Amino acid sequence: MEQKTLSKWISLVLLSAAVIGFCIFFVIVPIYGKMLLESHPEFSNRFWPWLVFLWVFALPCYAAIIVGLKISRRIGLDESFCMENAAGLKTIAYLAAGDTAFFAFGNIALMLLNLSHPGVMIASLFISFIGFAIAIASAALSHLVKKAAIMKEENDFTI
């Protein structure tokens, strides 16, 4: 696969993730929450804390998508192994780790405030696992891209 084609596919996947995330966080969850409130008014004190919590959780995801789009653009320019991509992948790793920690501790806080259910807490462990897996994979890729960029720079100076 050529660099430009790979770049287009990466960009398409990232933009699709952004659209799907927008639909989930800003359309489906609020609609579902209001439907839940209509059928169970005793949960009215949980609607806004959970909605704001999920919106704040979504922000680092969109920041990571923006960084990913910049990396994709550089891949399309045949600059796959550069220090900027290594730094971008490291940023994505930090965003994923921080967002995962926020999600885990936020779920615990909501549970302690009696604004959550134990089943939700157990289900959130799956999301936390995925977040940490993304963080570890991004950190590993960052390390490898950095090493490759250093090797590329050394080889550029060799005749």
Side-chain angles (χ1 to χ4, degrees):
M1 184 178 293
E2 291 191 22
Q3 298 287 98
K4 290 190 184 272
T5 306
L6 179 62
S7 174
K8 287 178 184 177
W9 277 106
I10 292 170
S11 296
L12 179 68
V13 167
L14 290 172
L15 291 172
S16 298
V19 170
I20 291 168
F22 180 84
C23 290
I24 289 172
F25 287 113
F26 298 101
V27 177
I28 294 172
V29 169
I31 290 172
Y32 180 72
K34 290 195 186 232
M35 287 175 25
L36 187 65
L37 283 179
E38 289 173 4
S39 60
H40 301 286
E42 65 270 14
F43 295 143
S44 62
N45 66 330
R46 294 177 171 109
F47 178 75
W48 282 108
W50 267 101
L51 194 58
V52 170
F53 173 68
L54 290 175
W55 286 346
V56 172
F57 170 71
L59 292 176
C61 298
Y62 282 99
I65 287 173
I66 290 168
V67 173
L69 287 170
K70 290 178 183 178
I71 292 171
S72 173
R73 183 183 57 78
R74 283 191 289 271
I75 289 172
L77 296 172
D78 201 21
E79 298 174 11
S80 301
F81 300 111
C82 63
M83 295 306 250
E84 291 85 5
N85 282 354
L89 286 165
K90 192 173 193 177
T91 300
I92 291 172
Y94 285 140
L95 286 168
D99 201 29
T100 301
F102 168 76
F103 188 75
F105 291 124
N107 268 297
I108 292 169
L110 289 169
M111 184 73 178
L112 292 175
L113 293 171
N114 198 25
L115 296 174
S116 189
H117 186 273
V120 173
M121 185 68 192
I122 292 170
S124 72
L125 292 175
F126 179 70
I127 294 170
S128 296
F129 174 77
I130 291 172
F132 277 122
I134 290 170
I136 290 168
S138 295
L141 283 172
S142 171
H143 176 73
L144 293 173
V145 168
K146 183 177 180 180
K147 284 182 131 329
I150 291 169
M151 287 173 50
K152 183 179 176 227
E153 284 178 10
E154 290 173 356
N155 287 337
D156 287 344
F157 293 119
T158 304
I159 297 176

